[in-house]
Amino acid sequence: MNKKPFFLYGLTMILLLAWNSSSIAADVPYMSGRVTDGAEILSSASVNRITAKLKAHEESTTNQVAVLTVPTLGGEDIESFAVQVFEEWQLGQKEKDNGVLVLIAPNERRMRIEVGYGLEGTLTDLKAGRIIRNVMTPRFKANDFDAGIEQGILAVISQLEGGDEIPAMAEPSGNNIGLQIDAPDLGIIERILIGAFVFGIIGLFTVLGILTPRVGWFLYFFLIPFWAMFPIVVVGTKIGFILLIIYLIMFPIAKLILGRTKWYRKAGRDLKSKGRATIGGFTFSSGSSSGSSSWSSSGSSFSGGGGSSGGGGASGSW
């Protein structure tokens, strides 16, 4: 039996599968102008306004900023696709590398601001991330792509021309009025590390306050400012406020529930009569005159780690 035809057939199938998988990925589109709206999410009036602003900026600074919208990324990550577009379009002056690409993929709900080497010191990753989160994302969530892209471009141009600070988180409608404080611009690794430290410390003292029969209420009031401020660094204002409310409500409830248990009442009697009590491996002591308390454990430790992040722009989703 001749195995050669079967080998050729198998090789042909493999090549066809490889070709099909590569054809799924998004191709770099032809640059039709400063705004290439392949996803057709912009109105013609918005395209004209953005084009005029980008043209005026390029004439005054030589910086070349382009906007690209694509229906889909074809399974490719937006960072890699942005680099492909940037290299093929050759944005910016050759000797200056002063190009910027604003890329939006509505199907994946992803966007990216890709920055040329020559402008990374001006339009930093931090600033690009703020533009995405504070300016573009709220408007995209409201399905207002015209305003989201146009205001994002204005913010990019402002930073490149040494303008004002990037505005705070935009409200898509005029019905929401109030203080808006967003979490600091931190990467996921930084948030995990800081969160482990913050919630580890205040969480530990919260548990101690719940478990300590007599002076636990002192810790309850003492920790309120910490629960009000520290979580904001990690999770932002809204979630931080929710955590504060949960703490204010659940601490007394847990305290009252534990107060009905035998071991909790016994620990309270021991603190009052003996000046100390053992709960869950921890020894609590209370001075009769000072009203202070302390705790100790035979074996406990705390350790942390670190991480790093790279540059070249910023990505986001909505």
Side-chain angles (χ1 to χ4, degrees), residues 50 73 79 215 242 252 261-262 288 294 310:
I50 296 172
L73 297 170
E79 290 80 10
V215 298
I242 293 173
T261 61
K262 292 182 179 180
S288 58
S294 62

Side-chain angles (χ1 to χ4, degrees), residues 171-247:
E171 293 289 350
S173 64
N175 297 328
N176 297 324
I177 301 175
L179 178 63
Q180 177 68 48
I181 304 175
D182 195 20
D185 296 285
L186 299 173
I188 185 64
I189 295 178
E190 288 84 354
R191 288 182 187 274
I192 291 174
L193 293 175
I194 295 175
F197 176 78
V198 169
F199 292 111
I201 294 297
I202 62 177
L204 173 63
F205 281 97
T206 298
V207 172
L208 290 176
I210 294 174
L211 294 179
T212 307
R214 298 185 63 188
V215 298
W217 291 110
F218 166 77
L219 282 176
Y220 172 67
F221 293 105
F222 177 78
L223 289 173
I224 289 176
F226 295 91
W227 276 105
M229 293 303 300
F230 288 163
I232 295 177
V233 178
V234 182
V235 297
T237 307
K238 292 182 179 179
I239 300 180
F241 179 73
I242 293 173
L243 291 177
L244 174 63
I245 297 301
I246 293 174
Y247 169 76

Side-chain angles (χ1 to χ4, degrees), residues 24-27 38-39 41 68-79 81 103-112 137 140 145 315-318:
I24 294 174
D27 295 327
I41 57 176
L68 170 63
T69 72
V70 293
T72 180
L73 297 170
E76 191 169 0
D77 63 89
I78 195 168
E79 290 80 10
F81 185 66
L103 172 63
I104 299 98
N107 281 10
E108 287 85 359
R109 305 176 73 88
R110 295 283 291 166
M111 60 182 137
R112 179 166 178 81
T137 296
F140 282 9
F145 291 103
S315 304
S317 60
W318 72 94

Side-chain angles (χ1 to χ4, degrees), residues 64 85-93:
Q64 195 173 51
V85 174
F86 205 97
E87 291 177 350
E88 187 162 327
W89 284 10
Q90 298 181 347
L91 295 175
Q93 307 298 319

